[in-house]
Amino acid sequence: MAATRKSTRQTASKSKSGASGRPGGADGEDRFLELLVPLMSSPGVAKNAYRMSIFANFFNGPIYAVIQKRFRLLRDELNTLFCLAHFEELSPRDICLVMGRPKNSVSRAISRLQERDLIEVRDDPSDARVDLLKLKPAGHHLYEETRRMFVDREEQMLSSLTNREKDTLDRLLTKLMRSHETWSDLY
């Protein structure tokens, strides 16, 4: 372990970020993997969950930064638009359930989307305690403007996989989602 730390420190002092801002240096070093491999080989690390989280961070981070700057939409606002774009109406609780986000975050997003006149909120006729949310045309338009960014980013990030590997990944993720009752606690 001490040799690994020493080697990592020595390489870290030599490694520089490439002109693209990516983790690898101009001389071909891959600082990202150099840092990630020791973390993943440490005992007691939830390496699959950690790698999925890292992958999701690199997927989401750049897109949400652009969308926030260009469209003034925060993550939970965009996620709310995403949910509503695929259903006629949803309750805030449904959005929390689908997105795995806390109620207070979704409530703030709903308020901001209402202020921007992107969604409408009405009482559920069968239960006045429940709000139902629906996209307005401007909300649909904004969702469509941002949707392609996510599709393009996914294609970019999965480009190293063959079609067969992409199908396998899809089947595995679908299987994980179908077993949600074992892990999808709301917070």
Side-chain angles (χ1 to χ4, degrees), residues 142-180:
L142 191 51
Y143 166 72
E144 283 301 323
E145 281 193 71
T146 59
R147 181 189 61 78
R148 187 71 211 170
M149 296 170 71
F150 289 91
V151 172
D152 291 345
R153 182 72 173 152
E154 180 183 61
E155 288 173 4
Q156 176 191 20
M157 290 182 74
L158 297 181
S159 65
S160 65
L161 301 180
T162 65
N163 286 338
R164 187 175 184 177
E165 289 168 332
K166 289 174 190 176
D167 289 342
T168 300
L169 177 62
D170 181 57
R171 282 193 311 277
L172 292 172
L173 291 173
T174 298
K175 184 175 183 176
L176 287 172
M177 293 297 113
R178 286 192 174 147
S179 69
H180 72 90

Side-chain angles (χ1 to χ4, degrees), residues 8 12 23 30-41 50:
T8 302
D30 193 338
R31 184 77 174 132
F32 174 73
L33 290 178
E34 181 182 323
L35 294 168
L36 188 63
V37 169
L39 289 173
M40 294 302 100
S41 60
Y50 187 71

